[in-house]
Amino acid sequence: MVTQMKTLEDYKNAYKKSVENPEEFWAEQAGNFTWKQKWDKVLDWNFKEPNIKWFEGGKLNITENCLDRHLEERGDKTAILWVPNEPDADDRKFTYKELYTEVNKFANGLKKKGIKKGDRVIFYMPMIPELAIGMLACARIGAIHSIVFAGFSAQSLADRIIDAQAKMVICSDYNKRGAKNIPVKKVVDDALKMGCDSIDTVVVHKNTGGDIEWNDNIDLYLHDMLDGVEDFCEPEVMDAEDPLFILYTSGSTGKPKGVVHTTGGYMIYTAYTFKNVFQYQEKDIYWCTADIGWITGHSYIVYGPLLEGATTMMFEGVPTYPDAGRFWEIVEKYKVNQFYTAPTAIRALMAQGNEYVDKYDLSSLKVLGTVGEPINDEAWYWYYDVVGKRSKPIVDTWWQTETGGILISPLPCITDMRPTYASYPLPGVQPILVDPEGNLIEENGVEGLLCIKYPWPGMLRTTWGDHERCRQTYFSAFPDLYFTGDGARRDEDGRYRIIGRVDDVLNVSGHRIGTAEVENAINTAPGVVESAVVGYPHDIKGQGIYAFVITKGQVDDENAFKKQIIDMVRVEIGPIAKPDIIQLVPGLPKTRSGKIMRRILRKIASGDMSNVGDISTLLNPEVVEEIKKSAPTL
Ligand code: PRX
């Protein structure tokens, strides 16, 4: 088990050591795990190529660390506690022993179907235990899992399958989410018609038993795959730097890229940050409400908690079903100790009124966490006052798909809290602020671009199939620095507050969406000439999506036209990316070199018409006035 800091002194000492002697610091943590062979070298790195290797030569299997090593001490402890969508349906509990057996069987099932070390397996599934079991089964045999959030469209799923050249897709027949019953297998069928030639098998978990189309050549029920398999599977010997998973995420250009995380460093980093940020104690019930389709679910529902022998809860449903008290009903029922959610959920529940919270006994809570987007003052105080009754620490955790684990966060009851500040870096993390020219900003009380100047074990190593894209995206803006894409403020005491993305990436309800992706989708709709997408402040979602669209000639039925655009985005990406506002415009403000001036569009979208700044250098300054005139009042 990793070291748990308990006092401010512990934090200060750990931080100091992690900066002065990072290799010794991380080697000490690595020594707490089961290795089949010790590493040759703790760290080898440069941010130029980039080339980052932690614990090279070390051999291990992460599932031995998540499962096997707990069997003796906590074999009968609940590892996964699953809460279903329907409040009156039965929950499911897997002890560490049971989870171990399920993972071993699933791993043997995968092997039976020819999956081996290095093969890619895509999951397109709801929040059910089979998803966590399947991921771990991949890790057991060294296959690389890539989980696709089940809200993405067939096209998005196909893009990921093709990019990863995956051999297998594992899905359910239907997903239950709130009052909806979503035909997931159908989405997989549609994706497979889009050129996913690498797929040999579609494994279907019978979740609801609803009607699906069946293709004997490719489809296989999960229960049939697992029929008669042995319940022990020898864990594959992995190098610390062998890939563990690929997770696709949006950037400012092009299609989503496959962020690659490797085995050893990710393991140590997620375990260390889980144990410390949530101050997990052996008997605690920990609940992260994220979906496993996002990095938060990977690191803080599955890997981090299981590595530390925790009881981790998985919830199939949504916060507002059957009503806005669902989260709090679950907290009371299972006496949840650590609760980790997104600001969007907090804002949505806040809007429903305090009575939904006040009905329940939340005294079991010890730590409240948030992640994924900036939390505004109002939401922070509501979480603190109404949910936490002014006595529970809030950890506002800042990190990214690329970082693998939390980088900046308060430590509950150890470091202080300042509302809306993610505050101090965790041990091993060396953040800095630079100005747009890359000059280091040393003083406090300033804003700048957030970069990290030294590697940490959980960081991405590459982007799948395109290392140059990784270099270009994260390591080329400023020499020898990892650039996060975020702007941040550092207060007088050195606490960080994340302001938000400074690139063309939107954060809508905590979901990361590239403006270029949405524009590409809109541009494929009939009658569209060109479009520009920007974010604007949205009370619940944090950011909403605002699309400026140039049409081919006059549009007869504006509503029908806009609906067509929205449908196109749904089909190309998924419902999470659909525009909230579409404005039809005669032109887009452009520089003389033809670049869209998004700065101006952002101002207009946020209703700040009087302050669009200098437009004299534009190719077409007159268009700004026209757009302003026809902008809807928000
Ligand atoms: O802008 C930051 C925001 O979410 C981005 C990363 O998104 P993603 O890779 O999807 O990972 C989300 C979950 C780790 C960041 O670049 N972000 C994340 N956490 C915070 C945040 N913004 C402000 N405060 C946070 N705590």
Side-chain angles (χ1 to χ4, degrees), residues 440-502:
L440 178 67
I441 304 174
E442 283 186 89
E443 58 275 34
N444 284 345
V446 287
E447 279 180 19
L449 302 172
L450 181 63
C451 295
I452 317 287
K453 71 171 187 190
Y454 197 85
W456 63 100
M459 74 185 297
L460 88 162
R461 303 298 196 264
T462 187
T463 44
W464 184 256
D466 193 351
H467 191 63
E468 171 56 17
R469 192 165 178 206
C470 172
R471 189 194 67 76
Q472 185 72 33
T473 312
Y474 307 105
F475 300 92
S476 71
F478 308 110
D480 296 323
L481 296 177
Y482 167 80
F483 176 44
T484 63
D486 280 325
R489 154 164 277 279
R490 188 167 54 217
D491 76 3
E492 295 301 339
D493 301 312
R495 297 182 198 91
Y496 287 87
R497 174 182 199 208
I498 312 305
I499 299 164
R501 304 289 305 195
V502 295

Side-chain angles (χ1 to χ4, degrees), residues 249 294-296 370-375 396-402 422 484-486 498-501 507 510-512:
T249 192
W294 311 113
I295 190 70
T296 308
T370 89
V371 59
E373 41 175 332
I375 183 163
D396 175 357
T397 65
W398 172 80
W399 58 297
Q400 308 176 297
T401 304
E402 295 85 345
T484 63
D486 280 325
I498 312 305
I499 299 164
R501 304 289 305 195
N507 194 328
H511 300 146
R512 210 166 132 172

Side-chain angles (χ1 to χ4, degrees), residues 333-354:
K333 180 168 176 190
Y334 295 97
K335 300 194 169 38
V336 171
N337 301 111
Q338 290 90 359
F339 178 75
Y340 191 28
T341 197
T344 290
I346 298 169
R347 287 190 296 261
L349 297 178
M350 180 171 77
Q352 303 284 319
N354 296 358

Side-chain angles (χ1 to χ4, degrees), residues 73-110:
E73 221 179 293
R74 48 183 77 78
D76 295 323
K77 175 177 173 175
T78 302
I80 292 180
L81 168 52
W82 179 77
V83 179
N85 181 59
E86 302 299 331
D88 50 4
D90 290 337
D91 56 22
R92 289 165 77 190
K93 293 186 175 120
F94 293 81
T95 64
Y96 271 90
K97 262 190 215 146
E98 288 163 344
L99 184 62
Y100 167 83
T101 306
E102 295 302 320
V103 169
N104 275 277
K105 282 169 84 176
F106 204 125
N108 282 330
L110 293 172

